[in-house]
Amino acid sequence: MDLSKSLATGFIIAASILGGCATNDAQSQAQSQEAKTNAAVVDTSDPRDPLEPVNREIWDFNWDVLDAYILRPITVTYVTVMPQPARTGLVNITDNLQEPANFLNNMFQGKVDDGLDSLARFLINTTVGLVGTFDVASKIGIERKREQFGETLAVWGLDTGPFLMLPFLGPSDPRSFTGDYVDGFAFPMSLLEGSVNLARIGISVLETRAQLLDQEAQLEQSVDDYAFVKNAYFENLEFRVTDGKSGDKAIDDEQLDDFADFEAMLEGNDFDSYEETSEEAVDEPTDSEDASSDDSEKAK
């Protein structure tokens, strides 16, 4: 996973083969270059991430060990064996269980209409939709208005706090972690017994990991996978807190290439509008280009 270490090691091996034998000075220079590269990658200057050295170690453990040997194989098996209609039904059930929390958080944020939509979705899908197996509410035009208590705290003015890479759980922050804990007390999740609650969590984890399968290549090719995930996490968090209004700010092409697909994986959000805006900006000639073209025509 550490690209810089792999490249540095490959460079040393190739140099020793081609040169027959490497001098001590050359080895020292290569080691010095590797140290500089690693120092550049592990940049602890991010004010959002004062715990970066520890967080990186936890990320390496989560991705290189837990995911590689446990979560990914289980997810691949789950996707292969479980029919898509059954997966959709399970996801609908878990989403429906969160609707009462969505109702409360929407109301806490002053979004009365969205809160009533969440309540209506829960009543309709729980009854007509057979305990949420079928998303009947969406079919009749009542879309899901997801809001978590962590987002409510953000609307109330509470900052995220330091970035946290949690063992087994992945990227988080104190505000979001607290919000998730509080949401767990909302009806009906507070009534779920241990095994049922574990099944709900397991389905959510597997479905989220299944969406990441198509994005693995992008993650693997990133210069710094840890920074990639961290930045995507904060971009997605801001997008949810502002209900997508953060997309109005200028985002350069490099950020879009790095974060858009991964953000879409996390929440299922559509970032195609960003890409279309970028493409239009490239296709449309600037004023200076138009002026140059006019001057050329006059010269002819």
Side-chain angles (χ1 to χ4, degrees):
M1 291 297 297
D2 194 330
L3 182 60
S4 61
K5 290 183 179 179
S6 300
L7 291 176
T9 303
F11 174 81
I12 294 173
I13 295 175
S16 62
I17 294 176
L18 293 175
C21 60
T23 63
N24 291 333
D25 291 340
Q27 291 178 353
S28 298
Q29 185 177 2
Q31 292 173 355
S32 176
Q33 181 62 34
E34 179 182 0
K36 291 180 181 179
T37 304
N38 290 335
V41 171
V42 184
D43 182 6
T44 58
S45 62
D46 189 345
R48 304 171 302 179
D49 193 7
L51 305 175
E52 182 168 348
V54 176
N55 283 335
R56 281 183 177 274
E57 293 295 330
I58 297 175
W59 161 254
D60 289 340
F61 173 72
N62 284 349
W63 186 250
D64 294 338
V65 179
L66 293 180
D67 185 83
Y69 296 102
I70 299 177
L71 183 56
R72 190 183 189 282
I74 294 176
T75 301
V76 172
T77 302
Y78 167 78
V79 172
T80 303
V81 175
M82 187 70 68
Q84 184 59 53
R87 289 176 56 192
T88 301
L90 291 174
V91 171
N92 288 341
I93 292 173
T94 59
D95 287 347
N96 189 57
L97 292 172
Q98 298 172 1
E99 291 295 358
N102 294 338
F103 161 71
L104 292 174
N105 286 312
N106 274 300
M107 299 300 285
F108 288 154
Q109 297 177 33
K111 304 173 184 177
V112 178
D113 291 341
D114 289 349
L116 294 177
D117 283 349
S118 297
L119 181 59
R121 283 181 56 84
F122 180 71
L123 296 176
I124 293 171
N125 288 342
T126 301
T127 54
V128 182
L130 302 179
V131 199
T133 305
F134 302 99
D135 188 0
V136 180
S138 292
K139 298 295 184 181
I140 62 177
I142 306 177
E143 299 298 330
R144 189 180 186 215
K145 305 298 192 310
R146 180 188 179 192
E147 293 291 343
Q148 298 173 300
F149 190 67
E151 297 169 43
T152 300
L153 293 175
V155 172
W156 291 352
L158 186 65
D159 194 16
T160 61
F163 178 69
L164 301 174
M165 183 63 69
L166 301 177
F168 304 98
L169 301 179
S172 185
D173 62 85
R175 186 183 70 192
S176 298
F177 185 81
T178 302
D180 292 341
Y181 182 77
V182 172
D183 285 336
F185 287 99
F187 173 87
M189 288 191 288
S190 59
L191 303 179
L192 298 180
E193 298 180 355
S195 58
V196 178
N197 196 39
L198 287 176
R200 177 186 67 83
I201 295 173
I203 292 170
S204 298
V205 170
L206 289 175
E207 285 295 335
T208 300
R209 185 61 183 89
Q211 295 177 49
L212 181 57
L213 290 175
D214 294 334
Q215 308 299 333
E216 286 180 348
Q218 185 182 8
L219 184 60
E220 294 283 355
Q221 292 171 5
S222 62
V223 176
D224 183 354
D225 50 10
Y226 170 81
F228 175 86
V229 171
K230 177 177 65 176
N231 288 324
Y233 173 79
F234 278 111
E235 288 285 338
N236 175 262
L237 186 61
E238 183 178 3
F239 185 91
R240 289 192 287 112
V241 168
T242 61
D243 294 332
K245 294 179 182 178
S246 62
D248 294 338
K249 67 181 181 179
I251 300 178
D252 60 39
D253 292 339
E254 183 177 354
Q255 286 177 315
L256 289 177
D257 292 339
D258 286 345
F259 307 144
D261 289 341
F262 196 75
E263 288 174 329
M265 179 281 299
L266 287 175
E267 294 298 330
N269 292 322
D270 185 3
F271 286 82
D272 289 341
S273 58
Y274 293 163
E275 296 177 359
E276 292 172 0
T277 302
S278 299
E279 292 175 357
E280 291 174 359
V282 173
D283 294 338
E284 294 179 357
T286 62
D287 294 339
S288 60
E289 291 174 342
D290 290 339
S292 300
S293 178
D294 292 342
D295 291 341
S296 298
E297 291 295 333
K298 292 179 181 180
K300 291 180 180 180

